[in-house]
Amino acid sequence: MKTSELAAFLGAECVQPEYDDKEIAGGYTSDLLSDAMGHAVDEGVLITVQAHKNTVAVATLKDLAAVIICGGRPVPDDMIQAARNERIAVFVTPENQFTVSGKLYPLLTKTGG
């Protein structure tokens, strides 16, 4: 699955559309950024409720394709700008992390992620 397919697949809103369209290597779900920094899959997606620019810093370190913000949380402008600068997609969904992870898990494990 490519980054550009996430919004339609999840029914999510892309709030930062200026990104590099990558093949997604896997996913990681965490609200603890140090945990995500240590365990997220390079070129994967981070599924979280942490909607702030430090989340983008972790995404940059892990070369993530996207961050998916769950629970319909508002995404601040400084996070969107940081993600735009790093060319990382940001999606927002009203669904919780469990639901989003469950939707993506079977799809991303088929590609080895």
Side-chain angles (χ1 to χ4, degrees):
M1 168 177 267
K2 294 190 76 132
T3 310
S4 58
E5 299 171 302
L6 278 173
F9 181 78
L10 294 173
E13 176 187 2
C14 182
V15 296
Q16 196 310 90
E18 296 175 31
Y19 56 83
D20 296 327
D21 196 16
K22 299 180 180 180
E23 191 67 34
I24 298 170
Y28 197 73
T29 304
S30 184
D31 294 327
L32 185 60
L33 293 179
S34 60
D35 178 53
M37 191 167 40
H39 301 339
V41 178
D42 290 350
E43 298 186 2
V45 296
L46 175 60
I47 303 157
T48 187
V49 296
Q50 294 292 344
H52 50 78
K53 69 180 185 176
N54 290 341
T55 306
V56 176
V58 171
T60 301
L61 285 172
K62 298 302 289 188
D63 195 26
L64 296 180
V67 175
I68 302 168
I69 303 296
C70 298
R73 294 182 184 243
V75 179
D77 291 339
D78 64 343
M79 180 182 183
I80 293 170
Q81 185 58 50
R84 183 176 294 122
N85 292 344
E86 298 296 336
R87 311 243 347 126
I88 297 169
V90 178
F91 299 92
V92 176
T93 177
E95 296 182 312
N96 64 38
Q97 298 98 306
F98 181 78
T99 302
V100 172
S101 299
K103 286 180 174 182
L104 289 175
Y105 180 80
L107 194 65
L108 296 180
T109 55
K110 288 180 184 176
T111 63

XYZ file of all heavy atoms in Angstrom:
836
model
N 0.843 -1.168 0.000
C 0.000 0.000 0.000
C 0.894 1.238 0.000
O 1.897 1.289 0.684
C -0.897 -0.003 1.237
C -1.598 1.312 1.483
S -2.728 1.280 2.883
C -4.217 0.872 2.017
N 0.474 2.232 -0.755
C 1.209 3.493 -0.827
C 0.552 4.535 0.082
O -0.639 4.429 0.402
C 1.253 3.990 -2.266
C 2.079 3.059 -3.170
C 2.315 3.657 -4.502
C 3.372 4.686 -4.341
N 4.460 4.704 -5.253
N 1.327 5.517 0.452
C 0.835 6.596 1.308
C -0.438 7.218 0.730
O -1.390 7.483 1.460
C 1.914 7.684 1.469
O 3.149 7.075 1.831
C 1.526 8.686 2.531
N -0.464 7.419 -0.553
C -1.601 8.068 -1.207
C -2.893 7.262 -1.118
O -3.968 7.803 -1.363
C -1.274 8.349 -2.673
O -0.945 7.149 -3.346
N -2.815 6.003 -0.755
C -4.001 5.152 -0.644
C -4.593 5.137 0.763
O -5.698 4.633 0.966
C -3.644 3.727 -1.061
C -3.169 3.628 -2.503
C -2.617 2.255 -2.849
O -1.649 1.816 -2.178
O -3.151 1.645 -3.786
N -3.874 5.692 1.732
C -4.316 5.614 3.127
C -5.633 6.320 3.400
O -6.494 5.765 4.071
C -3.242 6.185 4.059
C -2.105 5.264 4.431
C -1.046 6.032 5.213
C -2.600 4.083 5.239
N -5.789 7.544 2.928
C -6.992 8.316 3.240
C -8.255 7.576 2.810
O -9.188 7.426 3.598
C -6.935 9.696 2.607
N -8.274 7.114 1.577
C -9.462 6.411 1.082
C -9.679 5.100 1.826
O -10.811 4.769 2.183
C -9.334 6.152 -0.421
N -8.603 4.370 2.070
C -8.726 3.078 2.739
C -9.263 3.238 4.165
O -10.106 2.462 4.607
C -7.368 2.355 2.766
C -7.429 1.014 3.430
C -7.947 -0.078 2.752
C -6.984 0.846 4.729
C -8.023 -1.324 3.365
C -7.052 -0.390 5.346
C -7.571 -1.478 4.662
N -8.774 4.244 4.882
C -9.173 4.438 6.278
C -10.385 5.345 6.443
O -10.951 5.424 7.527
C -8.010 5.034 7.074
C -6.776 4.163 7.245
C -5.666 4.967 7.910
C -7.112 2.915 8.051
N -10.759 6.056 5.392
C -11.805 7.053 5.540
C -11.300 8.220 6.384
O -12.040 8.821 7.152
N -9.998 8.510 6.253
C -9.348 9.558 7.034
C -9.187 10.818 6.192
O -9.257 10.771 4.966
C -7.985 9.069 7.513
N -8.935 11.921 6.870
C -8.677 13.188 6.193
C -7.173 13.428 6.149
O -6.490 13.314 7.174
C -9.345 14.328 6.959
C -9.061 15.689 6.383
C -9.581 16.831 7.240
O -10.144 16.579 8.324
O -9.393 17.985 6.820
N -6.663 13.763 4.998
C -5.247 14.116 4.864
C -5.128 15.612 5.142
O -5.641 16.431 4.387
C -4.727 13.788 3.473
S -2.975 14.144 3.285
N -4.457 15.963 6.245
C -4.319 17.370 6.603
C -2.955 17.940 6.193
O -2.715 19.130 6.359
C -4.563 17.606 8.117
C -5.997 17.259 8.484
C -3.565 16.840 8.969
N -2.091 17.085 5.671
C -0.793 17.534 5.154
C -0.529 16.742 3.883
O 0.058 15.667 3.923
C 0.304 17.317 6.192
C 1.611 18.079 5.947
C 2.209 17.963 4.548
O 1.893 18.760 3.672
N 3.070 16.999 4.328
N -0.997 17.260 2.732
C -0.937 16.515 1.481
C 0.350 16.676 0.665
O 0.459 16.100 -0.412
C -2.127 17.071 0.703
C -2.225 18.489 1.155
C -1.825 18.468 2.622
N 1.318 17.437 1.158
C 2.565 17.637 0.412
C 3.624 16.662 0.931
O 4.506 17.034 1.699
C 3.030 19.081 0.554
C 2.054 20.077 -0.052
C 2.457 21.513 0.190
O 3.674 21.788 0.272
O 1.545 22.351 0.306
N 3.503 15.410 0.496
C 4.375 14.354 1.007
C 4.945 13.534 -0.138
O 4.460 13.593 -1.262
C 3.614 13.444 1.970
C 2.371 12.820 1.378
C 2.447 11.663 0.604
C 1.116 13.381 1.588
C 1.310 11.088 0.054
C -0.021 12.811 1.050
C 0.076 11.667 0.287
O -1.042 11.101 -0.251
N 5.970 12.748 0.185
C 6.520 11.803 -0.775
C 5.670 10.539 -0.711
O 5.476 9.977 0.374
C 7.982 11.479 -0.433
C 8.875 12.709 -0.551
O 8.598 13.561 -1.422
O 9.843 12.814 0.229
N 5.161 10.115 -1.838
C 4.287 8.943 -1.898
C 5.151 7.682 -1.860
O 5.785 7.330 -2.840
C 3.439 8.997 -3.176
C 2.259 8.057 -3.117
O 1.898 7.585 -2.022
O 1.678 7.798 -4.189
N 5.183 7.037 -0.696
C 6.048 5.881 -0.481
C 5.237 4.600 -0.345
O 4.075 4.623 0.059
C 6.848 6.050 0.813
C 7.767 7.233 0.846
C 8.499 7.284 2.178
C 9.440 8.465 2.258
N 10.141 8.504 3.552
N 5.874 3.502 -0.626
C 5.323 2.194 -0.309
C 5.487 2.018 1.200
O 6.593 2.163 1.728
C 6.070 1.094 -1.072
C 5.414 -0.252 -1.016
C 4.081 -0.318 -1.758
O 3.922 0.361 -2.789
O 3.201 -1.061 -1.276
N 4.408 1.715 1.899
C 4.439 1.631 3.356
C 4.980 0.267 3.777
O 4.461 -0.773 3.378
C 3.043 1.882 3.939
C 2.596 3.302 3.575
C 3.046 1.689 5.454
C 1.157 3.589 3.887
N 6.024 0.298 4.612
C 6.723 -0.917 5.010
C 6.111 -1.597 6.233
O 6.435 -2.746 6.520
C 8.189 -0.597 5.300
N 5.235 -0.928 6.950
C 4.635 -1.500 8.152
C 4.022 -0.398 8.982
O 3.930 0.746 8.547
N 3.627 -0.743 10.185
C 3.010 0.248 11.055
C 3.396 0.028 12.498
O 3.829 -1.063 12.879
N 3.238 1.066 13.288
C 3.491 0.976 14.721
C 2.491 1.861 15.427
O 2.239 2.998 15.005
C 4.921 1.417 15.058
C 5.339 0.958 16.432
C 5.620 -0.379 16.677
C 5.414 1.845 17.492
C 5.979 -0.821 17.934
C 5.779 1.420 18.759
C 6.058 0.084 18.966
O 6.410 -0.357 20.220
N 1.913 1.342 16.504
C 0.915 2.069 17.272
C 1.476 2.369 18.649
O 1.837 1.444 19.385
C -0.380 1.243 17.405
O -0.835 0.897 16.099
C -1.446 2.011 18.144
N 1.571 3.653 18.971
C 2.060 4.046 20.290
C 1.750 5.510 20.523
O 1.744 6.311 19.591
C 3.572 3.820 20.397
O 4.009 4.120 21.711
N 1.519 5.842 21.800
C 1.356 7.227 22.193
C 2.574 7.710 22.973
O 2.632 8.859 23.386
C 0.089 7.412 23.030
C -1.156 7.151 22.210
O -1.136 7.447 20.999
O -2.139 6.647 22.768
N 3.529 6.836 23.152
C 4.778 7.186 23.815
C 5.831 7.367 22.728
O 6.242 6.402 22.079
C 5.179 6.077 24.793
C 6.394 6.313 25.664
C 6.195 7.540 26.551
C 6.641 5.078 26.523
N 6.241 8.595 22.507
C 7.110 8.883 21.363
C 8.473 8.202 21.474
O 9.033 7.783 20.464
C 7.259 10.388 21.174
C 5.970 11.103 20.747
C 6.224 12.593 20.601
C 5.401 10.518 19.469
N 9.003 8.045 22.677
C 10.285 7.345 22.811
C 10.145 5.871 22.424
O 11.063 5.288 21.852
C 10.832 7.478 24.229
O 9.926 6.924 25.173
N 8.992 5.298 22.689
C 8.714 3.917 22.273
C 8.645 3.831 20.750
O 9.244 2.943 20.140
C 7.395 3.455 22.897
C 7.003 2.060 22.483
O 7.823 1.125 22.637
O 5.871 1.884 21.992
N 7.949 4.772 20.155
C 7.844 4.802 18.690
C 9.214 5.015 18.057
O 9.545 4.388 17.050
C 6.876 5.901 18.251
N 10.019 5.865 18.666
C 11.352 6.140 18.143
C 12.202 4.865 18.153
O 12.970 4.617 17.231
C 12.021 7.229 18.973
C 13.271 7.769 18.363
S 13.870 9.304 19.132
C 13.602 9.079 20.852
N 12.029 4.041 19.163
C 12.817 2.820 19.270
C 12.297 1.655 18.466
O 13.062 0.749 18.118
N 10.987 1.647 18.149
C 10.408 0.440 17.569
C 9.637 0.604 16.267
O 9.308 -0.397 15.631
C 9.495 -0.231 18.584
C 10.172 -0.612 19.860
N 11.512 -0.784 19.993
C 9.677 -0.845 21.096
C 11.823 -1.116 21.228
N 10.727 -1.146 21.920
N 9.322 1.823 15.869
C 8.572 2.007 14.619
C 9.412 1.513 13.437
O 10.637 1.598 13.444
C 8.207 3.479 14.424
N 8.732 0.994 12.453
C 9.372 0.455 11.262
C 9.745 1.598 10.324
O 8.904 2.439 9.998
C 8.397 -0.508 10.528
C 9.005 -1.040 9.256
C 7.977 -1.635 11.451
N 11.004 1.644 9.896
C 11.413 2.648 8.919
C 10.498 2.569 7.704
O 10.157 1.480 7.238
C 12.866 2.430 8.484
C 13.869 2.750 9.581
O 13.466 3.314 10.620
O 15.051 2.445 9.394
N 10.097 3.730 7.196
C 9.197 3.863 6.058
C 7.806 3.287 6.335
O 7.075 2.930 5.422
C 9.816 3.291 4.787
C 11.079 4.033 4.390
C 11.653 3.604 3.057
O 11.067 2.748 2.377
O 12.707 4.161 2.690
N 7.455 3.214 7.613
C 6.134 2.765 8.007
C 5.235 3.938 8.345
O 5.490 5.076 7.947
N 4.179 3.641 9.090
C 3.273 4.677 9.577
C 3.207 4.584 11.097
O 3.334 3.498 11.668
C 1.850 4.554 8.981
C 1.865 4.775 7.484
C 1.198 3.243 9.324
N 3.014 5.730 11.729
C 2.813 5.792 13.175
C 1.349 6.099 13.423
O 0.815 7.076 12.894
C 3.701 6.867 13.803
C 3.501 7.105 15.298
C 3.786 5.841 16.107
C 4.368 8.258 15.769
N 0.724 5.264 14.225
C -0.685 5.418 14.590
C -0.702 5.889 16.039
O -0.225 5.174 16.932
C -1.433 4.081 14.420
C -1.288 3.593 12.973
C -2.891 4.212 14.834
C -1.487 2.110 12.804
N -1.251 7.086 16.285
C -1.116 7.704 17.604
C -2.199 8.750 17.845
O -2.947 9.090 16.922
C 0.291 8.355 17.729
O 0.494 8.817 19.054
C 0.483 9.473 16.731
N -2.254 9.257 19.076
C -3.086 10.427 19.381
C -2.216 11.646 19.655
O -2.730 12.715 19.950
C -4.038 10.182 20.582
C -5.041 9.083 20.265
C -3.266 9.887 21.856
N -0.909 11.500 19.538
C 0.025 12.588 19.821
C 0.073 13.565 18.646
O 0.794 13.352 17.683
C 1.421 12.030 20.107
C 1.498 11.213 21.364
C 1.302 12.047 22.624
O 1.398 13.264 22.613
N 1.007 11.380 23.713
N -0.699 14.616 18.754
C -0.807 15.606 17.673
C -0.006 16.850 18.029
O -0.546 17.849 18.485
C -2.268 15.953 17.425
N 1.302 16.766 17.837
C 2.173 17.923 18.034
C 3.448 17.723 17.226
O 3.718 16.636 16.720
C 2.471 18.188 19.509
C 2.937 16.998 20.267
N 4.223 16.515 20.189
C 2.276 16.177 21.117
C 4.347 15.465 20.972
N 3.182 15.231 21.529
N 4.231 18.786 17.104
C 5.371 18.720 16.190
C 6.457 17.753 16.640
O 7.252 17.313 15.814
C 5.921 20.098 15.883
C 6.599 20.810 16.999
C 7.089 22.158 16.501
C 7.891 22.864 17.568
N 8.441 24.112 17.051
N 6.512 17.369 17.908
C 7.495 16.367 18.330
C 7.217 15.015 17.682
O 8.136 14.224 17.469
C 7.526 16.232 19.847
C 8.117 17.447 20.518
O 8.819 18.239 19.894
N 7.829 17.614 21.791
N 5.973 14.762 17.353
C 5.621 13.525 16.645
C 6.271 13.526 15.265
O 6.744 12.490 14.798
C 4.089 13.399 16.531
O 3.521 13.521 17.837
C 3.686 12.064 15.942
N 6.315 14.669 14.625
C 6.968 14.781 13.320
C 8.469 14.554 13.461
O 9.092 13.943 12.590
C 6.661 16.141 12.658
C 7.417 16.295 11.346
C 5.161 16.289 12.428
N 9.060 15.020 14.546
C 10.494 14.799 14.759
C 10.793 13.302 14.824
O 11.767 12.824 14.220
C 10.956 15.498 16.033
N 9.956 12.542 15.517
C 10.130 11.084 15.576
C 9.922 10.481 14.190
O 10.689 9.617 13.755
C 9.159 10.458 16.601
C 9.167 8.939 16.512
C 9.525 10.908 18.011
N 8.915 10.943 13.488
C 8.649 10.438 12.131
C 9.838 10.686 11.210
O 10.182 9.843 10.381
C 7.389 11.084 11.573
N 10.485 11.818 11.387
C 11.659 12.146 10.585
C 12.818 11.206 10.910
O 13.477 10.687 10.003
C 12.075 13.612 10.829
O 10.985 14.452 10.473
C 13.294 13.982 10.013
N 13.049 10.958 12.192
C 14.130 10.050 12.600
C 13.946 8.647 12.041
O 14.922 7.974 11.701
C 14.211 9.971 14.124
C 14.817 11.167 14.837
C 14.638 11.027 16.339
C 16.285 11.302 14.487
N 12.693 8.205 11.950
C 12.394 6.855 11.481
C 12.055 6.808 9.992
O 11.696 5.768 9.471
C 11.225 6.264 12.289
C 11.505 6.106 13.769
C 12.710 5.223 14.060
C 12.428 3.786 13.761
N 13.481 2.862 14.197
N 12.166 7.939 9.310
C 11.847 8.030 7.889
C 10.444 7.486 7.611
O 10.223 6.717 6.674
C 12.897 7.307 7.045
C 12.806 7.671 5.568
O 12.325 8.771 5.265
O 13.194 6.837 4.723
N 9.492 7.866 8.469
C 8.123 7.378 8.320
C 7.442 8.011 7.113
O 7.692 9.168 6.767
C 7.305 7.664 9.577
C 7.751 6.956 10.850
C 6.842 7.334 12.014
C 7.770 5.445 10.660
N 6.564 7.251 6.505
C 5.788 7.739 5.373
C 4.642 8.630 5.836
O 4.262 9.570 5.148
C 5.240 6.564 4.570
N 4.095 8.318 7.026
C 2.915 9.052 7.486
C 2.714 8.907 8.982
O 3.178 7.945 9.597
C 1.662 8.549 6.759
N 1.973 9.867 9.511
C 1.483 9.816 10.883
C -0.030 9.841 10.789
O -0.603 10.669 10.058
C 1.984 11.024 11.708
C 1.371 11.018 13.096
C 3.507 11.030 11.783
N -0.663 8.935 11.506
C -2.124 8.880 11.538
C -2.557 9.282 12.945
O -2.252 8.587 13.914
C -2.643 7.478 11.187
C -2.137 7.062 9.810
C -4.177 7.436 11.261
C -2.347 5.586 9.490
N -3.241 10.414 13.034
C -3.723 10.926 14.311
C -5.144 10.403 14.515
O -6.028 10.646 13.689
C -3.717 12.474 14.333
C -2.319 13.014 14.038
C -4.254 12.992 15.664
C -1.252 12.665 15.041
N -5.339 9.705 15.610
C -6.629 9.061 15.887
C -7.470 9.884 16.868
O -6.982 10.812 17.497
C -6.389 7.668 16.445
S -5.538 6.588 15.280
N -8.720 9.506 16.976
C -9.628 10.140 17.911
C -10.110 11.515 17.484
O -10.677 12.252 18.285
N -9.872 11.865 16.210
C -10.335 13.150 15.706
C -9.676 14.346 16.367
O -10.214 15.448 16.345
N -8.512 14.134 16.936
C -7.819 15.232 17.611
C -7.410 16.318 16.616
O -7.008 16.015 15.507
C -6.598 14.719 18.342
C -6.988 13.817 19.482
C -5.792 13.340 20.254
N -6.246 12.401 21.266
C -6.126 12.595 22.556
N -5.549 13.681 23.014
N -6.580 11.697 23.412
N -7.483 17.552 17.043
C -7.049 18.638 16.148
C -5.530 18.610 15.974
O -4.794 18.299 16.910
C -7.507 19.905 16.876
C -7.663 19.506 18.307
C -8.008 18.042 18.315
N -5.092 18.934 14.786
C -3.667 18.959 14.472
C -3.245 20.425 14.395
O -3.754 21.169 13.559
C -3.378 18.221 13.150
C -1.902 18.287 12.824
C -3.846 16.771 13.239
N -2.305 20.836 15.247
C -1.896 22.237 15.234
C -1.121 22.603 13.967
O -0.469 21.757 13.352
C -1.024 22.369 16.487
C -0.571 20.993 16.807
C -1.619 20.064 16.278
N -1.180 23.869 13.641
C -0.508 24.368 12.435
C 0.992 24.095 12.442
O 1.567 23.793 11.396
C -0.753 25.870 12.263
C -2.196 26.193 11.903
O -2.897 25.287 11.407
O -2.612 27.349 12.120
N 1.631 24.193 13.618
C 3.080 23.970 13.645
C 3.431 22.512 13.350
O 4.478 22.238 12.771
C 3.725 24.462 14.940
C 3.278 23.743 16.197
O 2.233 23.056 16.181
O 3.974 23.885 17.223
N 2.549 21.584 13.683
C 2.782 20.176 13.327
C 2.638 19.990 11.820
O 3.446 19.306 11.184
C 1.823 19.245 14.058
C 2.041 17.782 13.713
S 0.868 16.681 14.520
C 1.480 15.095 13.958
N 1.612 20.589 11.243
C 1.398 20.488 9.804
C 2.579 21.087 9.050
O 3.081 20.494 8.083
C 0.067 21.155 9.399
C -1.111 20.358 9.981
C -0.047 21.260 7.880
C -2.454 21.038 9.854
N 3.064 22.239 9.507
C 4.195 22.874 8.837
C 5.460 22.030 8.959
O 6.200 21.870 7.984
C 4.451 24.272 9.410
C 5.533 25.029 8.674
C 5.238 25.197 7.194
O 4.154 25.632 6.812
N 6.181 24.836 6.339
N 5.705 21.456 10.132
C 6.880 20.597 10.319
C 6.797 19.379 9.405
O 7.782 18.989 8.778
C 6.998 20.175 11.776
N 5.615 18.783 9.303
C 5.428 17.617 8.429
C 5.601 18.012 6.964
O 6.189 17.262 6.179
C 4.052 16.999 8.663
N 5.122 19.180 6.593
C 5.282 19.668 5.220
C 6.775 19.843 4.910
O 7.243 19.421 3.847
C 4.546 20.989 5.032
C 4.610 21.523 3.606
C 3.781 22.788 3.423
N 2.369 22.474 3.599
C 1.569 23.061 4.504
N 2.019 24.011 5.290
N 0.314 22.701 4.610
N 7.507 20.413 5.834
C 8.944 20.619 5.642
C 9.686 19.294 5.457
O 10.667 19.226 4.722
C 9.551 21.372 6.819
C 9.077 22.803 6.904
O 8.526 23.356 5.958
N 9.272 23.403 8.064
N 9.205 18.248 6.121
C 9.850 16.928 6.054
C 9.210 16.005 5.013
O 9.635 14.873 4.848
C 9.811 16.259 7.429
C 10.567 17.016 8.506
C 12.052 17.115 8.261
O 12.615 16.261 7.531
O 12.673 18.054 8.793
N 8.138 16.497 4.350
C 7.431 15.723 3.318
C 6.814 14.438 3.875
O 6.841 13.386 3.256
C 8.315 15.441 2.111
C 9.018 16.672 1.593
C 8.752 17.190 0.237
N 8.049 16.402 -0.709
C 6.963 16.842 -1.351
N 6.479 18.033 -1.095
N 6.381 16.098 -2.251
N 6.245 14.546 5.089
C 5.580 13.428 5.758
C 4.080 13.695 5.756
O 3.632 14.775 6.151
C 6.090 13.270 7.203
C 7.587 12.926 7.189
C 5.292 12.215 7.962
C 8.257 12.995 8.539
N 3.308 12.713 5.334
C 1.852 12.848 5.317
C 1.298 12.797 6.735
O 1.816 12.070 7.586
C 1.231 11.730 4.483
N 0.228 13.555 6.963
C -0.481 13.505 8.241
C -1.957 13.299 7.937
O -2.550 14.054 7.159
C -0.279 14.786 9.079
C -1.074 14.710 10.378
C 1.203 15.019 9.361
N -2.513 12.269 8.553
C -3.923 11.935 8.387
C -4.611 12.028 9.739
O -4.007 11.741 10.775
C -4.080 10.512 7.842
C -3.444 10.313 6.498
C -2.142 9.860 6.394
C -4.139 10.584 5.332
C -1.538 9.678 5.159
C -3.550 10.412 4.086
C -2.245 9.958 4.007
N -5.893 12.383 9.719
C -6.703 12.437 10.933
C -7.931 11.576 10.727
O -8.577 11.631 9.663
C -7.134 13.886 11.261
C -8.064 13.909 12.472
C -5.926 14.761 11.513
N -8.239 10.783 11.733
C -9.424 9.934 11.694
C -10.149 10.008 13.036
O -9.492 10.148 14.073
C -9.056 8.468 11.376
O -10.243 7.664 11.426
C -8.033 7.901 12.339
N -11.469 9.901 13.022
C -12.203 9.868 14.285
C -12.072 8.516 15.003
O -12.381 8.410 16.183
C -13.656 10.140 13.875
C -13.725 9.707 12.453
C -12.362 9.954 11.867
N -11.580 7.521 14.293
C -11.474 6.184 14.883
C -10.323 6.114 15.886
O -9.390 6.915 15.834
C -11.289 5.138 13.785
C -12.502 5.065 12.879
C -12.391 4.014 11.811
O -11.344 3.968 11.137
O -13.346 3.248 11.658
N -10.383 5.123 16.773
C -9.322 4.966 17.763
C -8.165 4.144 17.199
O -8.259 3.578 16.114
C -9.879 4.359 19.069
C -10.413 2.964 18.884
O -9.868 2.157 18.137
N -11.496 2.650 19.578
N -7.082 4.093 17.941
C -5.877 3.418 17.481
C -6.100 1.924 17.248
O -5.532 1.351 16.313
C -4.724 3.589 18.487
C -4.302 5.010 18.709
C -4.926 5.585 19.967
O -6.144 5.557 20.157
N -4.105 6.128 20.841
N -6.892 1.298 18.090
C -7.161 -0.129 17.953
C -7.818 -0.417 16.605
O -7.411 -1.326 15.875
C -8.059 -0.605 19.101
C -8.374 -2.060 19.058
C -7.444 -3.001 19.484
C -9.609 -2.505 18.610
C -7.740 -4.362 19.453
C -9.906 -3.852 18.573
C -8.971 -4.788 18.998
N -8.820 0.367 16.262
C -9.547 0.164 15.011
C -8.653 0.410 13.798
O -8.624 -0.396 12.861
C -10.778 1.098 14.960
O -11.605 0.815 16.096
C -11.574 0.902 13.684
N -7.899 1.495 13.819
C -7.014 1.811 12.699
C -5.940 0.731 12.545
O -5.663 0.268 11.437
C -6.380 3.209 12.874
C -5.313 3.470 11.816
C -7.462 4.282 12.820
N -5.357 0.322 13.649
C -4.337 -0.733 13.605
C -4.912 -2.028 13.048
O -4.270 -2.702 12.236
C -3.774 -0.983 15.005
O -3.159 0.176 15.506
N -6.112 -2.359 13.473
C -6.760 -3.573 12.986
C -7.035 -3.535 11.492
O -6.897 -4.550 10.799
N -7.398 -2.385 10.986
C -7.642 -2.246 9.544
C -6.347 -2.404 8.738
O -6.335 -3.017 7.680
C -8.267 -0.884 9.230
C -9.715 -0.760 9.626
C -10.227 0.628 9.274
C -11.714 0.745 9.523
N -12.224 2.078 9.147
N -5.270 -1.814 9.243
C -4.013 -1.822 8.494
C -3.214 -3.110 8.660
O -2.473 -3.488 7.756
C -3.151 -0.628 8.906
C -3.640 0.727 8.436
C -2.766 1.840 9.011
C -3.661 0.800 6.923
N -3.343 -3.763 9.793
C -2.522 -4.934 10.088
C -2.542 -5.996 8.985
O -1.488 -6.386 8.479
C -2.902 -5.558 11.425
C -2.081 -6.765 11.741
C -0.791 -6.635 12.265
C -2.574 -8.047 11.504
C -0.033 -7.754 12.543
C -1.796 -9.163 11.768
C -0.531 -9.010 12.298
O 0.233 -10.115 12.547
N -3.707 -6.476 8.566
C -3.673 -7.541 7.538
C -3.110 -7.076 6.200
O -2.472 -7.850 5.488
C -5.139 -7.957 7.392
C -5.948 -6.946 8.089
C -5.053 -6.160 8.991
N -3.294 -5.825 5.900
C -2.802 -5.298 4.636
C -1.284 -5.124 4.649
O -0.597 -5.483 3.695
C -3.477 -3.956 4.359
C -3.352 -3.429 2.953
C -4.072 -4.344 1.965
C -3.941 -2.039 2.891
N -0.765 -4.602 5.739
C 0.670 -4.322 5.808
C 1.498 -5.554 6.122
O 2.672 -5.595 5.773
C 0.944 -3.210 6.828
C 0.334 -1.856 6.479
C 0.660 -0.837 7.553
C 0.797 -1.366 5.125
N 0.932 -6.557 6.750
C 1.709 -7.771 7.016
C 1.870 -8.599 5.762
O 2.805 -9.366 5.645
C 1.085 -8.620 8.137
O -0.274 -8.910 7.809
C 1.184 -7.904 9.463
N 1.004 -8.410 4.768
C 1.148 -9.126 3.488
C 2.376 -8.658 2.728
O 2.949 -9.399 1.961
C -0.099 -8.907 2.608
C -1.314 -9.630 3.100
C -2.484 -9.369 2.180
C -3.733 -10.015 2.716
N -4.897 -9.698 1.899
N 2.778 -7.405 2.978
C 3.952 -6.864 2.283
C 5.219 -7.047 3.095
O 6.259 -6.544 2.739
C 3.764 -5.361 1.976
O 3.652 -4.652 3.204
C 2.563 -5.119 1.093
N 5.109 -7.762 4.212
C 6.280 -8.015 5.026
C 6.509 -6.992 6.107
O 7.484 -7.054 6.829
N 5.589 -6.022 6.254
C 5.759 -4.969 7.254
C 5.258 -5.338 8.603
O 4.692 -6.313 8.896
